[in-house]
Amino acid sequence: MRFKPSDALRFLAGLAIAALILGFVALRVTSCAPAPKPPPIAAAARTTPTVTPAPAAATATIASSAAPRAASCGAGPAAAAQVNQASLQTLAWAPMGRAETGWEIYTPLIGHEIGSSCGPDSPGFAAALAAWEKGQDLPADGIMSAAVFGRIKGVVQMRRPFVRLSAQRICPNPPATAALAPAAATEGYAGKAIQLRPGALAAWRRMAAAARAEDAAVAADPRSLTIFSGFRSPADDDARCAREHNCNGVVRATCSAHRTGLAVDLYVGQAPGFGPDSSAAANRLFMSRTPAYRWLVANADRFGFVPYPFEPWHWEWTGEAP
C-alpha cells in the first residue's frame, strides 16, 4: 500500500484536533473542582470583636467628670478649712442678739451667699468664702468669724424691705382687711386660717408648687411649706408679747413684719419634742438640715422671697412695698 503525503497531513491534523479536545476537557474539569477549604478560625476570633482602646486623655476626662464637686471641694486653703472645722460647733458668739455656740445652723445661708455647695469644713468652702471676702474688701483668709458673718447677715437682712424701713425707724401700717386674701384650709398648717396680701399668697403658691415638683423629699410630707402664720394684726402681736413676755426684737418684735401681710412662717420640719416655730438652738439646727429649708435657701429668691436668718421658717415676699 502506497503512503501518500496528503494522508500524512490528514493524520497530523487529526492528532492536533484530538489534542485540543483533550486540553479543553481537562480545563473544564479543573475549573469545576471545589476550592480548598480555608483553615478553621479559632472560636475566640469568631466571637470577639476588635476594640480600639480609648485614648488616655479621653479616659481621664470621663473619670474626672464623675466627681467634679468632690475635686473642687478639696481644693482651697487647708489651714482655713481646719480653723472653720474647729469653730463650726464651738464658736461662742451672739450673731442675732442671743448667745449661741457654733455657726452650723447658718451654713446653708452662708453657702448660698458665697456660692458654695461644699461642706463648711472643706477647703472648697474656705476658697469660696475667701473670694466673697475679697469682693467685700475684707481680709480674704477664708475663715468664718463673727465679723465675717456680720457682713453676710447685713447683706441678707438688707434684702428685706421691712428691715430697710426699720433702719429708718419706720413701722409700716397694716393693710386694710379688704386688701387681704384668705388661703385655703389645706394651705394653712393643720388647717389654720391664714391671710396674706394677694400677691404674696400667689407667689407662695407658685413657690410651694415648684418645691413639691422639684424635690421628692419635700413632696413626701404634706405639711411641707404649709403656712402656720401669715398676716398678724398689731393688736394680736401686742397681746402675744404681753402674754409671752418676750418682745425683745429677736423672738417677738414690737413691730413685726407679719403686720405687712407679706411675711410667712412656713413649716420646714421640727425636731422631736419641739414645735414648728421653736427658736431653741436644737430645733433650728434640725430645721437647717431639712430638705424643705435647704430648697428654700437655694430657690426662694426665684419667687421673690427672702429669709430672716435667725428663723428658718420665716420668709418675706419682696414683690411689693410693706
Side-chain angles (χ1 to χ4, degrees):
M1 180 176 181
R2 187 180 179 181
F3 185 76
K4 298 179 181 180
S6 59
D7 293 336
L9 291 174
R10 282 196 295 273
F11 176 76
L12 292 173
L15 287 175
I17 292 171
L20 288 173
I21 293 173
L22 288 173
F24 179 76
V25 171
L27 180 63
R28 287 293 299 251
V29 171
T30 303
S31 64
C32 292
K37 293 183 179 180
I41 302 174
R46 289 198 305 266
T47 58
T48 305
T50 301
V51 178
T52 302
T59 304
T61 300
I62 294 171
S64 65
S65 65
R69 183 178 178 274
S72 61
C73 290
Q82 291 175 354
V83 174
N84 290 338
Q85 183 180 36
S87 68
L88 185 61
Q89 297 176 348
T90 62
L91 178 65
W93 62 333
M96 304 297 295
R98 175 198 283 185
E100 298 189 51
T101 302
W103 51 279
E104 190 175 5
I105 290 171
Y106 302 100
T107 55
L109 279 176
I110 296 170
H112 180 68
E113 191 62 32
I114 67 176
S116 175
S117 59
C118 298
D121 55 353
S122 68
F125 182 94
L129 180 58
W132 187 90
E133 290 170 327
K134 183 177 180 180
Q136 293 287 317
D137 294 325
L138 297 172
D141 56 14
I143 296 175
M144 178 53 59
S145 65
V148 171
F149 182 80
R151 182 68 64 86
I152 293 175
K153 181 186 74 173
V155 171
V156 174
Q157 286 281 72
M158 292 309 289
R159 294 189 184 123
R160 299 169 59 196
F162 179 81
V163 169
R164 296 199 295 270
L165 288 176
S166 297
Q168 304 173 51
R169 301 183 180 278
I170 297 173
C171 185
N173 292 322
T177 303
L180 297 169
T186 56
E187 296 173 329
Y189 175 74
K192 185 177 180 180
I194 299 295
Q195 289 181 308
L196 290 171
R197 291 195 198 180
L201 182 59
W204 168 83
R205 285 171 173 159
R206 292 192 297 271
M207 180 173 69
R212 291 162 186 153
E214 295 171 10
D215 192 322
V218 175
D221 188 344
R223 299 171 298 175
S224 289
L225 305 188
T226 52
I227 309 169
F228 61 81
S229 187
F231 169 75
R232 295 199 303 258
S233 72
D236 289 340
D237 270 338
D238 288 345
R240 189 173 185 179
C241 284
R243 183 171 62 252
E244 298 182 3
H245 304 290
N246 65 358
C247 273
N248 56 10
V250 177
V251 179
R252 299 280 176 260
T254 53
C255 179
S256 169
H258 284 277
R259 69 165 54 208
T260 66
L262 303 174
V264 289
D265 289 342
L266 305 177
Y267 183 84
V268 295
Q270 60 194 102
F274 295 92
D277 62 346
S278 168
S279 61
N283 193 46
R284 292 164 49 235
L285 178 60
F286 179 93
M287 291 177 174
S288 73
R289 298 168 175 170
T290 64
Y293 178 67
R294 289 181 177 257
W295 188 94
L296 286 171
V297 169
N299 297 282
D301 55 356
R302 290 162 43 193
F303 305 90
F305 285 89
V306 293
Y308 171 39
F310 184 75
E311 297 176 346
W313 58 83
H314 183 99
W315 297 79
E316 296 171 21
W317 189 55
T318 59
E320 58 188 87

